[in-house]
Amino acid sequence: MLSSMLKEHRRKRNETNQQIERKRQAVIKALHQFNNKFMEDIDSGVAVAYQNQCKVNADMKKLQVESARFVKLSQNWTTELDKFQTALKELGDVKSWSASIERDLEQIVDGLTRMQAADDEKSN
C-alpha cells in the first residue's frame, strides 16, 4: 500500500512537472512571440523616424544652399544698386554743374550785352 501510494505520488508529481514544463514552454514561446512583435513595432517606428530625419537633413542642406545663393544674389543686387545710386548722384552733380555754368554764361552774356550797349552809346 505504501509503495502504491509512493508510485501514485510520483506519477502525479511527474504529471504535474510535465504540465508545469508544458506551461513554461508555452509561456516562453508566448514571450518570444511578444518580444518579436514588440521589436518589430519599435523597429518600424524607428525606421520611419530615421527616414523622416534623412528627409529633414536633405531639405536642410537644400535650404542652406539656396540661402547661400540668395545671400550672394542679394549682395550682387546691393552692389549694383549702390553703383546706380552713385551714377544718379554723378548725374545730379553734372546737372548742377551745367546749371552753374549756364548761370555763369548768362552773366557773361549779360555783361557783354551791357558793354556792347555802353560802347554803342559812346559811339553815337
Side-chain angles (χ1 to χ4, degrees):
M1 173 157 156
L2 206 46
S3 78
S4 69
M5 283 176 53
L6 181 62
K7 285 182 185 180
E8 182 64 27
H9 172 70
R10 285 183 182 164
R11 186 186 62 75
K12 285 182 180 181
R13 188 178 67 186
N14 282 341
E15 284 179 11
T16 304
N17 284 344
Q18 287 175 357
Q19 286 177 350
I20 289 172
E21 184 61 26
R22 281 194 302 269
K23 289 180 181 181
R24 189 175 73 78
Q25 292 297 325
V27 167
I28 289 172
K29 184 178 177 181
L31 282 174
H32 281 295
Q33 289 174 345
F34 172 76
N35 189 35
N36 288 339
K37 181 64 177 163
F38 184 70
M39 292 307 291
E40 286 174 9
D41 290 344
I42 289 175
D43 287 345
S44 67
V46 169
V48 169
Y50 177 75
Q51 289 173 348
N52 290 341
Q53 184 64 38
C54 289
K55 288 178 185 177
V56 167
N57 287 343
D59 289 344
M60 186 175 64
K61 287 179 184 177
K62 287 179 186 176
L63 182 61
Q64 286 174 337
V65 168
E66 289 297 318
S67 295
R69 189 179 67 77
F70 179 72
V71 166
K72 186 175 180 179
L73 186 63
S74 297
Q75 289 172 345
N76 289 343
W77 273 102
T78 302
T79 302
E80 292 299 318
L81 184 61
D82 288 342
K83 288 179 185 177
F84 181 70
Q85 286 178 336
T86 302
L88 284 178
K89 286 179 186 177
E90 289 173 0
L91 284 176
D93 291 344
V94 168
K95 183 178 179 183
S96 162
W97 174 75
S98 66
S100 175
I101 288 177
E102 186 178 353
R103 276 191 308 268
D104 290 347
L105 289 175
E106 285 174 356
Q107 289 174 356
I108 291 172
V109 167
D110 187 45
L112 288 173
T113 304
R114 284 187 203 155
M115 286 173 54
Q116 182 70 32
D119 281 344
D120 286 345
E121 283 181 14
K122 282 185 185 182
S123 3
N124 285 344

